[in-house]
Amino acid sequence: MSQVVTRIAPSPTGDMHIGTARTALFNWLYAKGRGGKFLIRVEDTDRERSTQTAVDKLFEGFAWLELFSDEPPVFQYGRIERHKAVVEDLLARGAAYRCWMSPDETQAEREAAKAENRRFVSPWRDRTDGDPGEPFVVRFKGPLDGDVVVRDLVQGEVRWQARHLDDLVLLRSDGNPTYNLAVVVDDHDMGVTHVIRGDDHLNNTPKQQLIYQALGWALPAFAHIPLIYGDDGKKLSKRHGATAVGEYADLGYLPEAMRNYLARLSWGHGDDELFSDEQAMAWFDVADVSKAPSRLDFDKLAHVNAHWMKLADDSRLARLTREALARRGADLWEGDDARLTRAIPYLKDRARTVVELADQAGFVLRRRPVELDERTRGLLDEAGRARLERLRRRLSLFESWDVFALEAELKAFAEDEGVGFGKIGPLVRGALTGGSPSPDLAKTLAALGMEESLGRLDDALST
C-alpha cells in the first residue's frame, strides 16, 4: 500500500474558519497516525480576494494550531499552465469539447432544461465547427446515462444519476481553469491518497471522479465529514461566538486544547474526552467519523482548555498572560515576567483560559505602594494595625515561603491570636492586593514572594 498523503486546501479569502481548522486536524491526524504526509495547498485562483494579507492569516492559523505541512505549501495559481495542459489532454481523448454558447444562450437553455426536468446539454457537445477566434469555454463530456457511484469512507455509497450531471466547464472563456478541474489535477500531482473534506463538497465528488477516470488516474479515497453547527443546531456563524481560529487564540485557548476539543467534534474514542496528540494519532480513523453535524460547545471547550492549562509550562503561561495584558493596554515592565512566572502555579488551577489568568494576575502586577480600598482602610484600626504588625514580624522570620507551610503558619497565627481566621484574612488580603481578586491568602503570599509581600505589608502599616 502506498504512503498515505492527505491535504488541506483552503482559499485565502479571510480568517481561517474553525471548520477549516477541524478539517485540517482530521487530515493531519489521519496521515500522522499512519506514518504518512500532511500537505497544505492554497487555492488562490480568485485573484481579487486572495491577497497576501489573507494568505498570511491562513498560515498564522496553521502556525498557532501547530499543523505544519510536510512539504512546501503549493499555491494553485502558479499551476494554471499545468491545468490547461490537462484540459488539452482531455480534448485529445475526446473527454472534453469546446462550447461556443454565449452567456445568454447558456442561461436560456438552462432555464428550458429546468422547466422540462431534463439535463442541460450544449449543442456543441458533438460539434467541431466553432470559430477558434470567438470566445468559448471547454466542457467535460460526461456520460448521459447510468449512475456515478462514490464510495465514501464516511457517507458510505452515494449514487448520482448521470442524466442529472451537466457537462461542467473545465476552462472558462478567459482561459482560467475551474475549481473542479484544478482540484483533481492538484490532488493527483501532489500524490494525495485520501481527500478528507467537508460534506458541503460531496456534490462536487461525482464530477471530479469522472475527470479522474477520463484521465486514467487512480482515484483517491474520499471522506466527507459533517460541518460544525452552533449550539442551536444551525450553521455556525458570528452569532454563536468566535468562528475564526485567531479569535480563539485571543480568547485565551491553548492550541493543544483546541486540537483535543476539535478532534471530538463528530469523532470520539469511547468516553475519552482528554487525550494527547499522540493518543489521537493512534486512535483516529476517518471511517469512525459520524455523519451527523457536531455542535460547538464553549463550556466543553473551556473544560478541555482548563485541563491543558494545568499541564502547561508556567513560563509559557506567563508569557501568554503578559501578551493578553498587553492587548488590554496594561502598563508592564521587564520585572513583570518573573513575577508572573512565580505566580502562575497558584493561579492556573482556577483559570479556564489565559484571559482568565490575566484577570486573576492583576494583584501580582500592582505597583507599590498599593492603593488600599475603602474596606481595607476601615479594617486598619488600632487593633487591626497591631495584629498586622505582629503577623508581619512573624512572617519576616519565616524560613519557608512554601504555600503549604504558609497555610499552616497563618492558621497557627490565628490560633495564637485567639481569633478565627475571618478576623485576620480580609485585612491581610486587602493590604497585599488593595482589594483586587486573588486566590486564598497562602497562595497570594506565595505568588507575591517574601520580599514583595513584606514590602506591601510595610506600605499598608505606614498609611
Side-chain angles (χ1 to χ4, degrees):
M1 183 177 178
S2 61
Q3 182 186 39
V4 168
V5 179
T6 65
R7 54 73 165 171
I8 185 70
S11 298
T13 55
D15 293 317
M16 182 190 288
H17 191 275
I18 197 67
T20 301
R22 196 274 304 264
T23 301
L25 176 66
F26 280 9
N27 277 278
W28 183 74
L29 290 174
Y30 191 80
K32 294 301 179 181
R34 288 156 182 78
K37 292 192 296 186
F38 166 71
L39 307 179
I40 295 175
R41 180 173 71 242
V42 180
E43 300 195 336
D44 57 345
T45 52
D46 184 341
R47 303 311 292 166
E48 290 185 6
R49 300 178 68 192
S50 300
T51 64
Q52 187 58 50
T53 299
V55 171
D56 291 343
K57 284 184 177 181
L58 269 182
F59 283 96
E60 286 171 7
F62 285 126
W64 182 74
L65 286 166
E66 299 173 358
L67 303 178
F68 300 104
S69 180
D70 291 313
E71 293 179 0
V74 172
F75 289 82
Q76 193 172 66
Y77 183 71
R79 292 177 43 79
I80 285 180
E81 293 307 313
R82 166 62 174 158
H83 302 147
K84 291 180 179 179
V86 171
V87 172
E88 290 298 323
D89 186 11
L90 287 166
L91 285 166
R93 291 169 180 261
Y97 61 93
R98 295 176 178 86
C99 172
W100 277 270
M101 294 182 75
S102 68
D104 288 343
E105 290 172 335
T106 301
Q107 181 63 27
E109 174 57 23
R110 285 195 182 281
E111 290 176 359
K114 183 177 181 181
E116 297 169 16
N117 192 29
R118 61 176 173 80
R119 169 180 175 161
F120 162 85
V121 178
S122 168
W124 293 96
R125 181 179 167 98
D126 297 310
R127 291 175 59 183
T128 59
D129 57 338
D131 183 353
E134 294 296 320
F136 63 86
V137 300
V138 177
R139 292 184 179 276
F140 182 74
K141 196 172 188 177
L144 295 174
D145 53 28
D147 289 348
V148 180
V149 181
V150 173
R151 293 174 174 82
D152 191 276
L153 295 177
V154 175
Q155 304 298 328
E157 185 175 282
V158 189
R159 291 177 175 270
W160 288 263
Q161 291 180 315
R163 65 188 182 89
H164 291 151
L165 300 175
D166 293 348
D167 288 350
L168 71 150
V169 174
L170 303 174
L171 210 62
R172 300 184 182 93
S173 58
D174 61 3
N176 286 317
T178 59
Y179 164 78
N180 280 305
L181 181 279
V183 73
V184 168
V185 178
D186 292 344
D187 282 344
H188 171 266
D189 289 359
M190 292 169 68
V192 173
T193 61
H194 292 74
V195 174
I196 304 170
R197 58 191 179 189
D199 60 14
D200 52 334
H201 284 286
L202 184 58
N203 284 334
N204 288 321
T205 308
K207 307 167 190 176
Q208 294 171 10
Q209 181 167 296
L210 288 171
I211 297 173
Y212 273 103
Q213 291 168 339
L215 290 164
W217 293 346
L219 286 172
F222 291 105
H224 289 86
I225 60 179
L227 302 181
I228 301 174
Y229 285 4
D231 55 7
D232 58 359
K234 297 181 179 179
K235 189 175 180 179
L236 192 64
S237 67
K238 286 290 185 182
R239 72 177 182 276
H240 297 109
T243 59
V245 168
E247 293 178 272
Y248 288 89
D250 291 343
L251 288 170
Y253 297 101
L254 301 181
E256 58 267 39
M258 284 301 298
R259 293 194 299 271
N260 184 165
Y261 177 72
L262 288 176
R264 290 281 290 122
L265 296 182
S266 295
W267 174 81
H269 182 265
D271 294 328
D272 294 296
E273 290 194 3
L274 304 169
F275 44 78
S276 65
D277 291 335
E278 290 73 23
Q279 288 173 310
M281 289 175 191
W283 296 339
F284 182 80
D285 191 332
V286 73
D288 296 330
V289 173
S290 167
K291 294 181 185 180
S294 53
R295 296 193 181 194
L296 193 63
D297 185 323
F298 282 93
D299 286 336
K300 287 185 178 179
L301 172 57
H303 168 71
V304 173
N305 201 66
H307 168 78
W308 289 104
M309 292 260 294
K310 292 180 177 66
L311 300 179
D313 177 74
D314 292 338
S315 60
R316 175 192 172 205
L317 289 180
R319 173 179 58 79
L320 293 173
T321 302
R322 181 185 174 94
E323 291 171 0
L325 289 165
R327 285 194 294 272
R328 299 178 182 180
D331 181 20
L332 304 172
W333 59 294
E334 289 184 8
D336 289 336
D337 286 338
R339 299 170 78 183
L340 281 171
T341 302
R342 182 178 61 227
I344 289 297
Y346 310 108
L347 303 179
K348 66 182 184 180
D349 284 352
R350 302 171 64 239
R352 301 188 304 171
T353 67
V354 173
V355 169
E356 290 183 9
L357 264 183
D359 292 339
Q360 296 179 26
F363 79 94
V364 178
L365 303 177
R366 297 195 67 168
R367 302 284 181 257
R368 290 184 53 199
V370 174
E371 183 177 350
L372 304 182
D373 64 327
E374 186 175 342
R375 183 190 184 200
T376 304
R377 290 181 178 278
L379 294 172
L380 264 177
D381 55 13
E382 184 177 349
R385 188 179 297 273
R387 183 168 287 135
L388 192 61
E389 287 177 343
R390 290 194 292 274
L391 177 62
R392 194 269 180 221
R393 286 197 299 271
R394 187 158 172 169
L395 289 176
S396 68
L397 302 173
F398 198 55
E399 294 183 359
S400 173
W401 210 254
D402 171 82
V403 65
F404 299 108
L406 283 166
E407 192 173 52
E409 182 68 8
L410 290 170
K411 183 179 180 181
F413 176 75
E415 291 175 352
D416 292 346
E417 290 285 307
V419 296
F421 197 73
K423 293 287 187 180
I424 299 173
L427 173 58
V428 180
R429 184 186 299 277
L432 294 171
T433 71
S436 298
S438 67
D440 67 58
L441 196 50
K443 288 182 178 179
T444 297
L445 288 164
L448 291 171
M450 184 175 187
E451 181 179 352
E452 181 72 13
S453 295
L454 295 178
R456 291 190 183 193
L457 294 178
D458 287 338
D459 292 340
L461 288 167
S462 66
T463 58

